[in-house]
Amino acid sequence: MTHACNLEGRQRLQTSIGAVLIQLSRFYIHTPRHALHYTHTHVDFRCSKYHPFRVIHPVRYFTSYIERNVRPDGRKFDEHRNIKLNINTIKSAETSALVKYGNTTVICGTKLELAAPKAEDPDSGFLVTNVELVPLCSPKFRPGPPSDHAQVISNVVSEIINNSKFINLKDLCIVSDKLAWVLYCDIVCLDNDGNVVDACITALTASLKTLSLPTVTYDPETEEIKVDTNNRISLKVNGLPVATSFAIFPNCERSILLTDPNTFEEEMCGGNGANITVSWNNGFLCGILKSGGGTLSIEQEKEAIKMAKERTL
């Protein structure tokens, strides 16, 4: 009898604590920031991942914002985060770029190497891209071999760059069937707060756009190779590929497109990363990738394509 009473008392206590936390979280959501007064700290937990309502009921917390046509971080549905770009961050690489999409931080370094072209394509060089999602960027990733998500992102980035015709691989050939440049582009995510693909494309294009190739002379008789690092030629590029990603939130009435989603929004939209990515280059549609998330109407697909194209103008 005593054990049953104690169990019933604990259940009532847990129910009361949950009700208090929900009421407290609703107070923070609906109270203007200027009306809140903090005694020991000035941190606003409404947009924090430690918000009590978000921890207890993440879906209800997210939906409460969407119903008021605003996102938890205060952005509009079609609003991007601030983008910061820094060129030549790594001095040991030929060229590099550091990009920040909000808190998402990606760095790209490019290294050069000489190699023989493929036998089936003797007049072209090589562009090799690799994306690493290190454990430092998110607790989701562990040390060891690349995760499936990292391999998917690497393939997506490679497809976007190749389909955009940003670089003509024939420009990397030095001597047909003998010698060509290999561009190794290593992209590392330092902080994953969503929309990694867009950040990777921005870092990669910025790195390649500032790349210059040393002059190379090749003696066909002796097969001697001389590289003059003091005399360089800028790499020819075509336009500027831009990828725009969206998360799709399956609302009751219609699905909602969220531009440049962060990690929390990606999770709430049921995807491991953004649900749809649209890429353009110089008015040319490079591709549309749909992975998970809710369904879109034809009008919404056209809207996503239009918004992605406007970013390239």
Side-chain angles (χ1 to χ4, degrees), residues 29-269:
I29 289 177
H30 296 288
T31 304
R33 295 193 181 193
H34 61 79
L36 296 175
H37 301 283
Y38 304 94
T39 304
H40 299 291
T41 179
H42 297 285
V43 178
D44 187 355
F45 288 99
R46 291 177 301 169
C47 297
S48 170
K49 62 181 179 180
Y50 303 111
H51 188 291
F53 193 20
R54 172 174 168 174
V55 174
I56 299 172
H57 297 293
V59 177
R60 289 174 59 184
Y61 169 83
F62 184 70
T63 306
S64 65
Y65 279 95
I66 298 299
E67 290 174 347
R68 290 179 285 141
N69 296 322
V70 69
R71 296 155 78 167
D73 58 6
R75 288 185 291 159
K76 300 177 182 178
F77 292 162
D78 59 351
E79 185 178 351
H80 287 78
R81 293 173 291 182
N82 292 331
I83 301 176
K84 298 180 180 178
L85 174 64
N86 189 10
I87 302 297
N88 291 329
T89 308
I90 306 176
K91 299 303 180 184
S92 58
E94 292 292 336
T95 183
S96 61
L98 176 69
V99 173
K100 288 179 66 71
Y101 272 56
N103 291 328
T104 298
T105 307
V106 169
I107 190 167
C108 174
T110 302
K111 301 286 284 186
L112 300 177
E113 186 177 293
L114 292 171
K118 294 181 180 179
E120 60 272 18
D121 195 4
D123 296 325
S124 299
F126 304 89
L127 175 61
V128 183
T129 59
N130 179 56
V131 178
E132 294 186 25
L133 301 178
V134 295
L136 172 67
C137 74
S138 172
K140 297 179 182 179
F141 306 111
R142 297 288 182 266
S147 63
D148 293 339
H149 186 46
Q151 296 181 40
V152 169
I153 291 181
S154 291
N155 292 335
V156 170
V157 170
S158 179
E159 287 183 11
I160 291 176
I161 291 298
N162 291 333
N163 293 338
S164 68
K165 309 298 182 183
F166 181 55
I167 291 180
N168 187 353
L169 296 182
K170 295 187 180 297
D171 293 335
L172 300 179
C173 182
I174 301 172
V175 179
S176 179
D177 200 30
K178 295 295 183 180
L179 195 63
W181 283 112
V182 183
L183 309 185
Y184 290 104
C185 302
D186 294 314
I187 308 170
V188 180
C189 180
L190 304 178
D191 190 350
N192 182 7
D193 190 27
N195 198 13
V196 175
V197 171
D198 290 12
C200 289
I201 293 296
T202 303
L204 177 58
T205 54
S207 178
L208 293 176
K209 204 170 180 66
T210 58
L211 177 64
S212 59
L213 303 175
T215 303
V216 179
T217 55
Y218 177 79
D219 190 339
E221 296 182 359
T222 61
E223 296 186 349
E224 182 182 2
I225 302 172
K226 293 183 179 180
V227 180
D228 186 2
T229 57
N230 296 322
N231 187 12
R232 292 176 172 266
I233 302 175
S234 297
L235 177 66
K236 295 180 181 179
V237 295
N238 176 32
L240 184 65
V242 177
T244 305
S245 297
F246 306 86
I248 306 172
F249 183 66
N251 203 14
C252 297
E253 300 178 356
R254 55 174 295 189
S255 297
I256 297 176
L257 282 173
L258 302 177
T259 307
D260 184 21
N262 56 33
T263 302
F264 178 60
E265 292 170 338
E266 291 177 347
E267 293 173 353
M268 290 300 98
C269 294

Side-chain angles (χ1 to χ4, degrees), residues 13-41:
L13 178 60
Q14 291 174 354
T15 302
S16 300
I17 293 174
V20 170
L21 288 175
I22 291 175
Q23 292 296 327
L24 179 61
S25 62
R26 289 175 178 171
F27 165 77
Y28 275 103
I29 289 177
H30 296 288
T31 304
R33 295 193 181 193
H34 61 79
L36 296 175
H37 301 283
Y38 304 94
T39 304
H40 299 291
T41 179

